[in-house]
Amino acid sequence: MGSTKTQHFTSDQNQVAAYAKALAHPARIAILQHLLKKQNCICGDLVGELPLAQATVSQHLKELKAVGLIKGTVEGTSVCYCIDPQKWEEVRDIFMNLFSTPVACQDNCC
Amino acid sequence: MGSTKTQHFTSDQNQVAAYAKALAHPARIAILQHLLKKQNCICGDLVGELPLAQATVSQHLKELKAVGLIKGTVEGTSVCYCIDPQKWEEVRDIFMNLFSTPVACQDNCC
DNA sequence: CTATTCTATCGTAAAATTACGATGAAGCAG
DNA sequence: CTGCTTCATCGTAATTTTACGATAGAATAG
C-alpha cells in the first residue's frame, strides 16, 4: 500500500492528476510564476529567489521538466529554464475542460 | 525535513498549491467527475464506482471536503456529497488566473 | 592546467500520502 | 431492543514526497 492504484483509473483521470501533482507545491508555483514573468528566461538565479537549497530547487525543476511544463537549455556553465508554451496551453486546456463542466447538482440538491 | 516550507511562500502560491494537491490524485478526479455528472448528487455508491476500499474513498472525500470543493449532507443512514458550486468557480478562477498569464519567454528565447 | 562556478545527482532523514482492515457511531427495519 | 446498513475514524504498513549536505561533472576564468 501507499502507492496510487493508477491502473484502475482512466488515462484522462491520471493525466489531470499528474499535472495537478506537478502544481501541488508552492515552490513549483513560485518557479512557474517566475518563469512566466521574466522576459529573459532566468536560469540558476531561481535558487537565489527561493527559500530552498540548490539541490531542492533542482529537484523541483526536474519534476516540472518531467511533466513537460518547462524545458532547460544549457548555456555555458548555467542552464536556462523556460516554460514550454505549447505544453502550458495544453495543460490549461485540460484544467479548463475539467472546470468547464457544469455542476449538475445545484444548491437545492442536498 | 519532508515537510513543505509553507511559511516561506506567498499565500497565493500556497493556495494554488493546496487546490492542486486536492486534484493530484486520480481517485479524487474520478469523484469530482462523478459528482459533476450526476443530477441527483450520489452518496455512498461512490464506493461502488471506485476501485478502492470504503475507508480509502472516505479518506479522499475528506480531503476534498477539507479544501471546500465538496460538501456532505447526512440523509438518514447515508451521506449525500455535492460539489460546492461557489467554491468550484473560485478554484476554476484561481487556476485560470495562473494559466492566463502570458508566457513572456517564447520559442526564440532559449 | 588549476581554480571557480553552476547545476545535477546521490544518499539519507523526516514527513506526508495512499491504502486497507477493523472498529465505532448513527440511523433505520423488524 | 436487536440486527443491519452506511459511513467515519483509528491503527498500521508501504510508498512517495520534501529537503538538504555532499559530491560529481561540465564549462569558464585565470
Side-chain angles (χ1 to χ4, degrees):
Chain A
M1 296 138 212
S3 79
T4 299
K5 294 178 133 192
T6 309
Q7 337 90 36
H8 300 303
F9 298 99
T10 68
S11 58
D12 169 65
Q13 289 159 349
N14 282 308
Q15 192 183 38
V16 179
Y19 287 128
K21 190 180 274 185
L23 302 177
H25 194 288
R28 292 195 289 272
I29 298 295
I31 289 172
L32 290 171
Q33 285 177 339
H34 207 86
L35 292 180
L36 279 169
K37 265 182 230 132
K38 292 287 167 177
Q39 186 63 40
N40 62 328
C41 45
I42 18 65
C43 321
D45 46 26
L46 273 167
V47 176
E49 303 276 351
L50 296 173
L52 296 169
Q54 181 264 323
T56 309
V57 174
S58 192
Q59 209 169 293
H60 283 303
L61 288 168
K62 193 181 176 182
E63 284 178 69
L64 289 172
K65 205 160 58 175
V67 295
L69 275 172
I70 66 172
K71 44 187 180 176
T73 316
V74 179
E75 282 188 353
T77 20
S78 56
V79 177
C80 171
Y81 280 103
C82 284
I83 287 181
D84 183 326
Q86 273 96 55
K87 198 72 177 181
W88 186 248
E89 276 189 46
E90 186 194 321
V91 176
R92 182 191 62 208
D93 291 347
I94 285 170
F95 278 99
M96 281 316 83
N97 185 51
L98 174 66
F99 281 106
S100 67
T101 317
V103 181
C105 161
Q106 284 294 332
D107 299 320
N108 55 335
C109 164
C110 288
Chain B
M1 296 137 212
S3 79
T4 299
K5 294 179 134 193
T6 310
Q7 337 89 36
H8 300 304
F9 299 99
T10 68
S11 58
D12 169 64
Q13 289 159 350
N14 281 309
Q15 192 183 38
V16 179
Y19 287 128
K21 190 179 274 184
L23 302 177
H25 195 287
R28 292 195 288 272
I29 298 295
I31 289 172
L32 290 171
Q33 286 177 339
H34 207 85
L35 293 181
L36 279 169
K37 265 182 230 132
K38 292 285 167 179
Q39 185 63 39
N40 62 329
C41 45
I42 19 65
C43 319
D45 45 27
L46 274 166
V47 177
E49 303 276 350
L50 296 173
L52 296 170
Q54 181 265 321
T56 310
V57 175
S58 191
Q59 209 168 294
H60 284 303
L61 287 167
K62 192 181 177 183
E63 283 178 69
L64 288 172
K65 205 160 60 175
V67 296
L69 275 172
I70 67 173
K71 44 186 179 175
T73 315
V74 179
E75 282 188 355
T77 18
S78 57
V79 177
C80 170
Y81 280 103
C82 284
I83 288 181
D84 183 325
Q86 272 97 53
K87 198 69 176 183
W88 186 249
E89 277 190 44
E90 186 194 321
V91 176
R92 181 190 62 208
D93 291 346
I94 285 170
F95 277 100
M96 281 316 84
N97 185 51
L98 173 66
F99 281 107
S100 67
T101 318
V103 181
C105 161
Q106 284 294 331
D107 299 321
N108 55 334
C109 163
C110 288

